[in-house]
Amino acid sequence: MDYDYRDFIKRLAVPAGFQPPTRLQHETLLATPLKREHVREDLAAVNASRDLIHQTRGGSWPEEELTEEFNLLDLAWHEREFRDLDSFAYVVHDLARDGAYVGCFYLYPMGSRTPLVKPDLAAYDVDVSWWVSGDAYARGHYERLYRGLLDWLATGFPCFPKPYFSNREIPQ
């Protein structure tokens, strides 16, 4: 029997007492939880990188230029989801460039970003996606962040041994 799961979201399975990492480092990249305090640098990077985000991450976000008010609400939502262990959003900075803003990555429940249109998608533990600014992309940080994600998932999120990378452009 075939089932249609496209309207379902698979909750993240985290162990009781799980504390998500608040600091992840790979080479010169430092990831910390995405918070409202990042609103201005996030807004500038997203609005300047919309085409690149669509090209690499895929999806429809951001559909149009973001306003500061909308972005503040969005970041507050990410904070709440992080606190409640519903999803995890991180901001990434480059320590070699005085903490320059690189971009973000997200760990979402399967079905929230990627619809469960194929039965095998439900077997994955987490939907992983990321984006970087145009400047960061030119410096090779898109691929560097992907390699960092592989490390961070293994060390900081061992509860997600089978991640699904949903970006349109996946480095080889």
Side-chain angles (χ1 to χ4, degrees):
M1 181 182 301
D2 289 329
Y3 293 97
D4 183 354
Y5 293 114
R6 84 182 91 215
D7 293 328
F8 289 93
I9 296 175
K10 180 181 172 184
R11 291 187 56 81
L12 293 178
V14 295
F18 177 73
Q19 294 295 314
T22 57
R23 183 180 170 88
L24 297 162
Q25 189 168 346
H26 175 77
E27 297 176 4
T28 64
L29 300 181
L30 175 65
T32 57
L34 183 60
K35 297 183 177 184
R36 288 171 278 185
E37 67 196 47
H38 302 117
V39 67
R40 287 200 175 94
E41 63 184 343
D42 185 71
L43 180 69
V46 170
N47 283 340
S49 308
R50 285 178 36 223
D51 290 340
L52 180 61
I53 293 169
H54 292 153
Q55 171 194 323
T56 57
R57 185 171 183 250
S60 60
W61 179 88
E63 292 178 11
E64 55 191 28
E65 189 166 305
L66 303 182
T67 65
E68 188 170 337
E69 179 182 14
F70 175 86
N71 203 43
L72 183 62
L73 292 172
D74 189 44
L75 298 189
W77 183 259
H78 283 302
E79 277 187 74
R80 188 214 51 84
E81 288 187 322
F82 195 101
R83 180 197 69 219
D84 294 346
L85 308 179
D86 292 330
S87 73
F88 305 98
Y90 287 84
V91 62
V92 181
H93 291 95
D94 184 356
L95 298 176
R97 294 182 51 98
D98 295 323
Y101 191 96
V102 170
C104 293
F105 74 86
Y106 311 91
L107 306 178
Y108 287 134
M110 291 303 299
S112 63
R113 173 172 152 78
T114 303
L116 300 174
V117 294
K118 298 179 198 169
D120 62 322
L121 288 173
Y124 289 95
D125 299 310
V126 64
D127 187 327
V128 182
S129 65
W130 73 101
W131 64 270
V132 300
S133 69
D135 185 48
Y137 188 88
R139 289 193 317 273
H141 284 323
Y142 184 81
E143 290 185 20
R144 192 168 293 114
L145 180 50
Y146 171 71
R147 289 191 308 274
L149 283 165
L150 294 173
D151 290 344
W152 296 336
L153 287 167
T155 58
F157 293 91
C159 50
F160 304 142
K162 190 172 181 184
Y164 178 77
F165 291 89
S166 61
N167 276 32
R168 178 177 290 156
E169 182 180 309
I170 306 290
Q172 298 302 315

